Amino acid sequence: MNRFLLLLPLAWRNVWRNRRRTLITLAVVAVGVWSILAFSSLLEAWARSSRDASLNLLTGDGQIHAQGYRDDPAIQHSFATPPADGALVKVLNGSHVSRWSGRVRTPGIVQSEFKTLPITLVGIDPERERGLSFIATSVTQGAYLSGTSGNGILLGQHLAHRLGTGIGKRVVLMGLGMDDALAQGGFRVVGLFQAPRDMEDSVVFIGRAAAQRLLKAPGRLSEIAFKAPTQSDLTPAIQALRKAAPSLDIQPWQILQPLTKAVSNLSDGFVMVWLWIMFVLMALGIVNTQLMSVFERVREFGLLQALGLRPGDVMREVLAESCLLVGLGVVLGVLAAVMTVGALHDGINLGFLAKGAEWLGAQHVLYPRIDGTEYLLLSVVIWGLSMLASLWPSWRAGRYSPQEAMSRT
Amino acid sequence: MEVIVECRNLKKRYFQGSVPVDALRGVDLQVEKGDFVSLSGPSGSGKSTLLNVLGGLDNPSEGSVKIAGQDLSQLSKGDLADLRLQRIGFVFQAYNLIPVLSAEENVEFILQLQGVGAAERRQRARMLLAQVGLTGMESRRPAQLSGGQQQRVAVARALAAKPSVVLADEPTANLDSATAESLLSLMAELNQESGITFIVATHDPRVIAHTRRRIVLTDGQIDQDVRVSEDEMAPAV
């Protein structure tokens, strides 16, 4: 290590012996690092946007169900509203959970005077849904639900169009009640909401008490959806909830929405593929530069050994050159990526390709972020891999015998 | 007198393709501390090979070499490098200096490898450069120095480590007469004043004229080994 530090000043000067070659290699490394980090931030923003878009619909960060509900979402697979002073509500009101709300959610049928269509009936507490799901902010015509027990209903815009109904008109909801008998009731359309097309077509919202009344399931809940303050709070939240209600099925979004998780994994996969492509290109540049540098200086390596440098020291000297060259390139690349992502901090508006963004499952504005830990990790990985690539030229420099090296012309 | 360099029955065989070439054919040699020895002879006589083997830069095919009592055949590559660092100074015909270091840094480099402290390094490097007549040129890089000045820096560097012996291979080959004469006088002066042992491989009569012991190699063997008196040596300029 001592010798390595001693050789650093010499290595630094050797790096700048051929300025043009060094600048080209620096540019290759810096552009490579910049592209990996910036690409990683963009993909992460897309994955996060896609995840938020998906989870903000109804999933939340996690949900609580009765056992068997996920296989058969009938009202029979519901559970009693947990007592306000019980262990479960204590955890839900604790620090690992930021918002939560109980819902009734079961398959049903909506009927207008023109058409009957299958839907999912969701009974909500309108106030508690604010900040938890999309519905409170997505009503585009009419009004939001005013309470849990009224007979108002929110329909998706497209569903209303298909049913040939609208604000102020009545529709009939039908579903299987708690008593296994067909339950039905009339509801007045108070608002229309805008959401992804499949959501508009498949979900209707009524007050939670109204749903319990319709389905003859007083005090019963199909699910409790909740959000954690941050993703890192989710695991402790799930653990605490499972401990508080061991008989219930409590799952994070990764289990409830495997497709969303797959998108997140896909993003990480893309970053890794890009990292390897860029790394191979960078490694070729670095190895080429270092090999040329080594071949040009064979006599000098002989001289260094004649002066008393050990073969391992010669190898370390060349490795130190790579270390400095790649290190500088990585720093430049990181700075460029920080500036690029910083400039995009206010968001990238994908409005001009809104349909495409929707198809990709993302929101209209992406917010790339600088993840310090990820930047550091990726930089260290790139730097480490480049050092591995430099081992070959370094080894070549150290393997010449002094006599053989000095007799080279 | 203390024997600094000793070799016995030294043989070196190279292969040019599949053809064996005997560069050294049984050289026996003892060099005492303070000697100023020239190795001369025609091209291919084995001068440089002998110098390389004595300096541990090349391995002999047979025989043994001892530097300050240490048998080189017993040393690993790393130990040989350490021996060169501590005991042997080299002056080559060309490509002598590290091009990215200044004259002073080239001299200091050896001391740095030896672990000498910064202040002492600087002081010794400056003193040695002054000794070889390069005061004021300490910060110049090799490319900014003439061939003669570069060789002087090389001599200063060779002496910096306080070696047991300095091995010089055709040190004047690329120099004009005046510069060569000046360098030789410097080496002779250092030999006389500091008692540093020099072994110089050369076929330059001017160099040979400055040496006290003159060895002539022919076909890889010692043909002549003559000691001359001070009167027969060329005077220092």
Side-chain angles (χ1 to χ4, degrees):
Chain A
M1 190 63 192
N2 202 19
R3 277 280 169 96
F4 186 76
L5 293 176
L6 187 152
L7 293 168
L8 273 181
L10 179 64
W12 177 250
R13 293 200 193 172
N14 279 325
V15 164
W16 294 104
R17 276 170 89 153
N18 189 328
R19 280 176 190 272
R20 189 165 62 175
R21 195 163 59 200
T22 295
L23 288 174
I24 290 171
T25 312
L26 271 180
V28 168
V29 175
V31 168
V33 171
W34 169 81
S35 76
I36 291 167
L37 297 182
F39 191 57
S40 149
S41 280
L42 283 174
L43 275 176
E44 196 273 335
W46 167 66
R48 185 162 22 89
S49 170
S50 165
R51 187 190 70 209
D52 289 348
S54 168
L55 303 188
N56 281 346
L57 287 177
L58 285 173
T59 308
D61 288 332
Q63 291 188 346
I64 301 170
H65 299 112
Q67 298 292 345
Y69 175 84
R70 287 193 293 132
D71 295 327
D72 177 12
I75 193 66
Q76 283 74 18
H77 289 126
S78 58
F79 57 97
T81 301
D85 56 351
L88 185 60
V89 172
K90 273 186 186 162
V91 176
L92 286 168
N93 289 333
S95 61
H96 290 309
V97 176
S98 55
R99 291 184 179 278
W100 64 276
S101 182
R103 298 175 184 145
V104 172
R105 186 168 171 177
T106 185
I109 288 169
V110 62
Q111 187 177 45
S112 70
E113 54 266 54
F114 303 109
K115 202 176 265 184
T116 302
L117 292 169
I119 44 86
T120 296
L121 183 167
V122 183
I124 59 171
D125 178 335
E127 287 312 306
R128 295 196 71 91
E129 288 295 327
R130 290 186 192 280
L132 178 64
S133 71
F134 75 104
I135 189 60
T137 55
S138 301
V139 175
T140 52
Q141 292 175 50
Y144 186 46
L145 296 175
S146 57
T148 65
S149 59
N151 74 337
I153 184 168
L154 297 174
L155 300 180
Q157 287 178 343
H158 193 247
L159 179 66
H161 176 72
R162 289 169 67 203
L163 290 168
T165 190
I167 304 287
K169 293 193 174 178
R170 281 177 62 87
V171 293
V172 174
L173 284 180
M174 286 180 274
L176 201 60
M178 194 72 181
D179 55 0
D180 270 343
L182 189 66
Q184 62 177 357
F187 290 82
R188 189 167 302 279
V189 179
V190 295
L192 304 182
F193 65 85
Q194 190 177 34
R197 179 62 60 83
D198 60 336
M199 183 60 73
E200 282 188 14
D201 278 343
S202 63
V203 177
V204 302
F205 294 91
I206 58 175
R208 186 172 66 207
Q212 289 166 338
R213 194 168 57 240
L214 172 73
L215 300 168
K216 300 179 185 68
R220 305 294 292 180
L221 294 177
S222 304
E223 70 187 24
I224 293 173
F226 61 88
K227 272 196 166 179
T230 65
Q231 285 298 305
S232 56
D233 285 306
L234 186 54
T235 303
I238 295 282
Q239 286 169 347
L241 290 167
R242 283 178 179 161
K243 196 174 173 189
S247 64
L248 295 176
D249 177 21
I250 300 168
Q251 299 295 349
W253 64 268
Q254 290 91 338
I255 300 294
L256 302 166
Q257 295 279 3
L259 191 64
T260 305
K261 184 169 188 288
V263 167
S264 193
N265 290 344
L266 192 66
S267 155
D268 292 344
F270 275 141
V271 170
M272 287 311 291
V273 168
W274 189 247
L275 188 148
W276 279 106
I277 291 171
M278 292 314 295
F279 168 69
V280 168
L281 292 176
M282 280 192 290
L284 287 174
I286 293 161
V287 170
N288 182 47
T289 301
Q290 291 302 84
L291 275 180
M292 283 170 71
S293 170
V294 164
F295 289 144
E296 284 171 5
R297 292 152 57 203
V298 170
R299 289 193 67 130
E300 199 174 307
F301 296 134
L303 171 66
L304 288 171
Q305 289 196 54
L307 295 180
L309 230 61
R310 290 169 167 239
D313 292 332
V314 174
M315 186 176 161
R316 273 187 277 275
E317 198 277 332
V318 177
L319 205 58
E321 290 175 26
S322 301
C323 175
L324 292 169
L325 181 63
V326 176
L328 185 59
V330 167
V331 168
L332 292 176
V334 169
L335 286 177
V338 166
M339 284 195 284
T340 306
V341 175
L344 298 171
H345 190 253
D346 290 337
I348 306 168
N349 194 335
L350 300 181
F352 63 96
L353 40 88
K355 285 287 176 196
E358 190 176 302
W359 179 77
L360 286 168
Q363 293 162 329
H364 291 183
V365 181
L366 296 184
Y367 296 95
R369 283 194 310 212
I370 297 161
D371 183 334
T373 309
E374 189 174 351
Y375 273 34
L376 183 68
L377 188 69
L378 284 173
S379 302
V380 169
V381 166
I382 294 165
W383 188 78
L385 288 173
S386 302
M387 287 300 96
L388 280 180
S390 302
L391 279 177
W392 182 39
S394 307
W395 173 77
R396 294 219 43 166
R399 69 186 271 271
Y400 294 109
S401 75
Q403 189 274 331
E404 177 195 0
M406 296 197 71
S407 62
R408 286 280 180 110
T409 51
Chain B
M1 285 289 274
E2 183 187 350
V3 175
I4 293 295
V5 177
E6 183 179 11
C7 59
R8 289 193 184 282
N9 192 30
L10 208 57
K11 293 180 182 174
K12 179 69 186 179
R13 172 174 280 190
Y14 291 114
F15 284 89
Q16 283 182 340
S18 56
V19 181
V21 177
D22 290 313
L24 297 176
R25 301 164 187 250
V27 174
D28 291 301
L29 177 67
Q30 279 195 342
V31 177
E32 291 166 352
K33 184 173 167 50
D35 253 352
F36 197 167
V37 183
S38 64
L39 297 174
S40 61
S43 291
S45 58
K47 302 185 295 287
S48 294
T49 304
L50 179 57
L51 220 56
N52 285 338
V53 172
L54 293 182
L57 299 177
D58 204 358
N59 297 318
S61 306
E62 268 184 56
S64 68
V65 179
K66 284 183 182 174
I67 301 289
Q70 265 194 297
D71 187 346
L72 303 196
S73 66
Q74 305 298 313
L75 301 179
S76 67
K77 280 184 180 179
D79 291 339
L80 272 175
D82 288 345
L83 179 89
R84 287 195 292 269
L85 177 63
Q86 305 294 344
R87 296 283 191 179
I88 305 170
F90 285 97
V91 180
F92 299 104
Q93 179 179 336
Y95 301 102
N96 245 324
L97 303 177
I98 301 167
V100 292
L101 301 182
S102 68
E104 186 176 317
E105 288 166 338
N106 261 285
V107 179
E108 275 197 51
F109 186 68
I110 295 288
L111 299 172
Q112 210 173 351
L113 289 177
Q114 286 186 328
V116 177
E120 189 187 341
R121 259 188 349 238
R122 191 180 165 84
Q123 190 214 338
R124 266 167 73 178
R126 294 215 157 209
M127 189 194 76
L128 283 162
L129 286 172
Q131 213 173 341
V132 299
L134 291 176
T135 302
M137 296 186 184
E138 294 89 349
S139 58
R140 290 197 191 176
R141 291 212 179 166
Q144 297 168 309
L145 296 169
S146 69
Q149 288 167 336
Q150 288 187 37
Q151 290 298 66
R152 283 168 175 267
V153 176
V155 171
R157 184 187 56 199
L159 299 177
K162 295 182 179 167
S164 302
V165 59
V166 173
L167 304 175
D169 190 5
E170 305 278 8
T172 59
N174 291 340
L175 305 181
D176 60 60
S177 304
T179 313
E181 189 59 44
S182 161
L183 182 74
L184 288 166
S185 296
L186 169 70
M187 289 164 73
E189 198 179 302
L190 290 167
N191 170 253
Q192 282 173 1
E193 287 179 5
S194 312
I196 295 167
T197 311
F198 280 87
I199 302 177
V200 185
T202 183
H203 50 241
D204 184 343
R206 293 169 304 181
V207 177
I208 298 167
H210 278 87
T211 58
R212 198 176 299 117
R213 184 177 172 192
R214 299 165 185 178
I215 296 171
V216 179
L217 286 169
T218 307
D219 295 333
Q221 288 178 311
I222 293 179
D223 195 29
Q224 292 176 43
D225 187 349
V226 182
R227 272 184 192 279
V228 297
S229 65
E230 294 287 330
D231 299 340
E232 291 172 278
M233 288 170 65
V237 177

